[in-house]
Amino acid sequence: MSNTEFPDDELRHEQEFIDGLYARVDALRGDTEGSLTDALAQGNTPMQARLERDILVAERSGLLAALNAVDGSLCFGRIDLTSGDTHHIGRIGLRADDAERTPVLIDWRADVARPFYLATGHTPMGLRRRRHISTEGREVTALHDEILDLGDETRTGHEDPSGDAVLLAALNSARTGRMGDIVRTIQADQDRIIRAPHRGVLVVEGGPGTGKTAVALHRAAYLLYEHRELLARRAVLIVGPNPAFLGYIGEVLPSLGETGVLLATVGELFPGVKATKTDTPEAAAVKGRADMADVLAEVVRSRQALPDPVITIEHERDILMLDDGLVNVARERTRATKLPHNAAREHFEGHILNTLTDLYAERIGTDPFDGSNLLDPSDITQIRDDLAENPEVWSAIDQLWPRVTPQQLVADFLAAPEDFLPAEDADAIRRPVTRHWTVSDVPLLDEAAELLGEDDRIARERAERERLRQIAYAQGVLDVSYASRTYEFEDKEEDDPEASEVLSAHDIIDAERFAERHEEDDHRSAAERAAADRTWAFGHIIVDEAQELSPMAWRLLMRRSPTRSMTLVGDPAQTSEAGGVGSWAEILEPYVEDRWEHTRLGVNYRTPSEVMDVAAAVVRAENAGFEPPSSVRSTGVRPWVRAVDDLPGAVAEAVRELTPEEGRVAVIAPRELHRALAARLDGVTAGAEPDLTHTVVLLDARQAKGLEFDSVLVVEPGRYGTSDLYVALTRATQRLGVVHAEPLPKGLVDVV
């Protein structure tokens, strides 16, 4: 129970309720940690007990993660119904220990909680009052009541006439370098998107500051709640534009008690590769084009070679010759299987061995007088087996149909693309063979993996060898056990004739089953297993800044969503990547035709109207009909533009001017200026991945996508394209400044 003195009964009542909730949470946390420890301590148990243990571990691990995530704002609201019922709303659901398991705290995702977000005076949804509970840690600091039943004259003294106090307080709060959840302030239009049906493709379009990223993350949390069994097994994938963005949003879902999600950039979606480098715009555009799939298919076909003019193989002192006609028959029959290249190799091997067997059998087994074949089937089989032992045969097969890895294929293609692309395109993407991959390479690697497939015979053979090794080890354990038992009972038999009848492990289980019992369990989460498996099918995929992805990147993502259950979030007006598609129809029609839904968020919660006016003018200079999202607030602080001679010095001075007592400042500048600017900014390093929790960070416009800061300083706006400049100008929640030594773009000249 808190010792804080409260001025009225309403605050005291809510504090007592919060204290009771945290007492319940602390007890549950202790019980959960204890039971989880006990469950994990149960090692080698029979199958049923092991299954029960695994279920308990999964359930308790999830509960413990949820409990550990909700120390702040566990309960944030209350709804009073006209029926007299009252429900408290929170981040997770909690029940009483009574026989009925009465709900004490309602999870924000439950249907009964929905009126907290949707009810209005016109449509009260059975509510009499909606209460927002503000807390700091475990202490209640304020109450904000909205009266929804205007006929109810009861008042508490905490009424909020506008109903916007909590929302505006959240919007005006200082930024921390990490996105916070919006579970306390979800608006009605956002709630409808969050709770939209799971299946199918939902496109959420919205301009800067409309909360589309937050909505997407809360949608992930809602889907994990509503479809727990499916999505816990298949996992949810969230794709972001860059590592800085993923770090920025990384705490949102854990704060909502959800950890079963894989966050990744496109550059991280090929196991074993983590690409962070970017290509030139020209190279990215070429690599991202849809026809690169056909180009790579042709590259693969080029690895299925013909002799030039023949390949000779020495066998049993004879010379066998494979010419292009014989090999082409084998090649076409193999291609007819429609199998990927590596998986089809086994068929090619068979055809070549059969061809060589026929050649050799005809040479040694033909009767010189009547031309009949003197060999019986067993002789033919022996010839084939002998040829299969000839290294020259396998050297020829490797030359004609080699095993190829995706990395080898793409690296070789990029080193010499002129055989498959027009000269201009080849010049754009050509580079020496390297192990350093770019983000645009990853969809190519994935496409290559799809075209190549896997020849799993080596993996199968390795697994079989390991299985036999485990069985041999298990047999050794049983033999030691049996020898020990025999030695023990030889001494006892004289005194106890029945002692030898006692069963040992050797009597009731064989080595193979014993080895199976002791196979290591895979305790990785679904998200961890998905990250290591290129063929994993996710239960749902959420893509942020979806307009930036290339057609080749969409091919990669669609492979990971065979059910086409996706939420796509973005704004075509902010498309800046050269390979970006930009049009939702262009993205989706190849995969789902017109079977997708589109919704738009039109209210800007982040960007003050003064800043939004400047950003919109930049876009209107190129597109006169452009309409930005409408801002819900005004700060009264106009953005400023400053022409300077000493750019680094002016930036350092402006940063000092813009830095708030608390909060964050972003300097958004072209990448080529970063080194000079970093030299004048304390604690800022050029080239490093930005730490968004620092007071001042240095970014380029594309790194800033999806992020927000209290103050933003845009440097040399004339070097940006319209989309990049629009992004840069709309990152500020309070103040915006522009510094330039070069001419301004037309849109900014008009508003200065």
Side-chain angles (χ1 to χ4, degrees), residues 135-152:
T135 58
E136 289 185 7
R138 300 188 176 195
E139 182 176 328
V140 177
T141 57
L143 303 178
H144 301 273
D145 287 346
E146 295 176 68
I147 305 301
L148 299 173
D149 180 1
L150 301 181
D152 185 348

Side-chain angles (χ1 to χ4, degrees), residues 70 110 116 161 171 267 372 396 404 406 414 452 469 488 536 610 642 664 697 750:
V70 295
F116 181 78
L171 297 178
S372 62
V404 187
L414 294 176
L452 293 170
R469 189 190 69 79
E488 176 184 354
W536 190 273
E610 294 86 353
R642 190 174 296 165
R664 300 294 180 271
V697 295
D750 293 341

